[in-house]
Amino acid sequence: MSTSPDHLRLSIACPPPDEGVVQVRPIVNGRDLLDEMVPVGVGGSGYVGVQPRYLLGHDGPLQAASAPHEVRLALSGCGVEECCGALYVTVARSGEHVVWAGWRDPARQDLVLPELRFTAGPYEAEVLRAGKDRGGEWRGGVVAELLEAGLRRREDWLRRWDCELEGVWASRTDPARIHVVLWHPRDRADPDLPWLQFGMTLPISAETPSAQAERFEAQLIAGDPRATAEVWGGSYDAERLGYPWPPADPL
C-alpha cells in the first residue's frame, strides 16, 4: 500500500449510442482502473463500467460508511457474472480515509488487486460531483431511473404479487421506450424450483421525466403486474407456474 493517499476521479464515458453504453470509469492515480490496473476478464474480455445511475449520487453505493459494503464496479463479456465475470470491491470508511479492498470476481479465483485508500473529503466531493454529471442522459434514461427508484420503494406491492424488481431498462439506441423487468417468485434460492422473468414495455413521450415516472408508477402498482406483463424468460420448467411458454421476444 502506498504511503500517500490514492486519488480518485470518476469519469463518465459516453460513446455514440451504437458503440457502447454510458458507464462510470474509475480513474485512480491517473490510470483507468478497469483498463490499466485490472487484469483482463474471463475469455479476454475487458470490464465495462456500471451505469452512473447505479453508482452515483447522495445515496449511491460508492458513498462510504463505517460498515463495509460491497459495490459492483463493472461487468465483463456477456454480462452474466458467473459466466464472464464482474468486478466487485468492498467500500468502507476508516477514520479520515475511504478504503477500497476485498476485490473479487465471481468468475475467477485468481484476482488479486491492492487496497486503495482515499482521503475521505476529496473522495466524497468527487462522488457528488460525478453524480451531477448528466451529460450522458436522455429522456428515457431519466424516466427509467426515476421509475426504478419509485418501484424499489414499493416493497409492499412487489411482495403482494410475489415479484422482485430486476430493473427498469433503457437504451440510447431505442430512446422511445423503456422496459420494466420483474422476477417471479421472489425467493429463487432453490435452483430446483421454476421461475419466470416478466417484462413490459412503456412508451416515452415529450412529457417531463418526473411526470412520466409518476404516471407509470401509479399505473403499475394499481394491480397485479403479471396480468399485464409478458413472459420474457425463465427456467426450463417455468411453464409449471401456469403461464404461457415459450417466452416473448422483448425486442
Side-chain angles (χ1 to χ4, degrees):
M1 184 179 68
S2 172
T3 57
S4 59
D6 295 293
H7 178 267
L8 176 68
R9 181 170 64 86
L10 298 169
S11 175
I12 311 299
C14 185
D18 58 347
E19 294 182 12
V21 299
V22 179
Q23 57 177 297
V24 179
R25 306 290 297 190
I27 310 299
V28 178
N29 303 328
R31 300 173 63 195
D32 187 322
L33 175 72
L34 305 181
D35 187 42
E36 301 180 57
M37 300 179 65
V38 180
V40 173
V42 175
S45 300
Y47 287 105
V48 176
V50 170
Q51 293 181 44
R53 66 171 163 141
Y54 296 119
L55 276 184
L56 305 175
H58 289 279
D59 300 318
L62 284 183
Q63 292 288 341
S66 56
H69 62 278
E70 194 171 59
V71 178
R72 185 171 71 180
L73 294 178
L75 289 166
S76 181
C78 70
V80 177
E81 294 185 8
E82 295 76 11
C83 171
C84 291
L87 182 66
Y88 284 87
V89 66
T90 296
V91 177
R93 178 73 179 261
S94 177
E96 296 302 313
H97 294 90
V98 174
V99 178
W100 286 14
W103 301 89
R104 74 176 183 92
D105 183 331
R108 58 188 303 174
Q109 303 301 315
D110 60 343
L111 180 67
V112 178
L113 290 172
E115 176 182 290
L116 298 173
R117 185 172 290 262
F118 309 100
T119 303
Y123 174 94
E124 293 168 354
E126 175 59 12
V127 173
L128 292 177
R129 180 207 63 78
K132 297 176 182 178
D133 183 349
R134 318 304 272 188
E137 288 188 340
W138 67 105
R139 186 179 298 272
V142 179
V143 175
E145 180 177 354
L146 295 173
L147 179 58
E148 180 169 319
L151 293 179
R152 291 200 182 280
R153 292 191 293 267
R154 298 286 187 170
E155 274 298 310
D156 55 339
W157 170 69
L158 293 166
R159 191 178 300 108
R160 183 185 313 142
W161 305 112
D162 197 15
C163 290
E164 177 183 344
L165 179 65
E166 177 181 340
V168 181
W169 300 350
S171 170
R172 291 183 300 151
T173 60
D174 189 10
R177 58 183 184 168
I178 61 175
H179 310 283
V180 179
V181 186
L182 304 167
W183 297 103
H184 168 74
R186 285 175 61 86
D187 184 5
R188 294 183 290 117
D190 187 344
D192 294 327
L193 294 179
W195 56 270
L196 287 164
Q197 181 192 59
F198 285 98
M200 60 189 79
T201 299
L202 303 174
I204 297 300
S205 69
E207 190 179 12
T208 64
S210 59
Q212 289 187 73
E214 290 174 4
R215 177 166 52 80
F216 287 147
E217 182 179 339
Q219 171 187 324
L220 290 170
I221 67 171
D224 183 350
R226 300 168 301 177
T228 54
E230 296 179 307
V231 174
W232 283 358
S235 58
Y236 71 95
D237 55 350
E239 54 190 327
R240 287 169 49 195
L241 293 171
Y243 289 87
W245 197 262
D249 183 351
L251 301 181

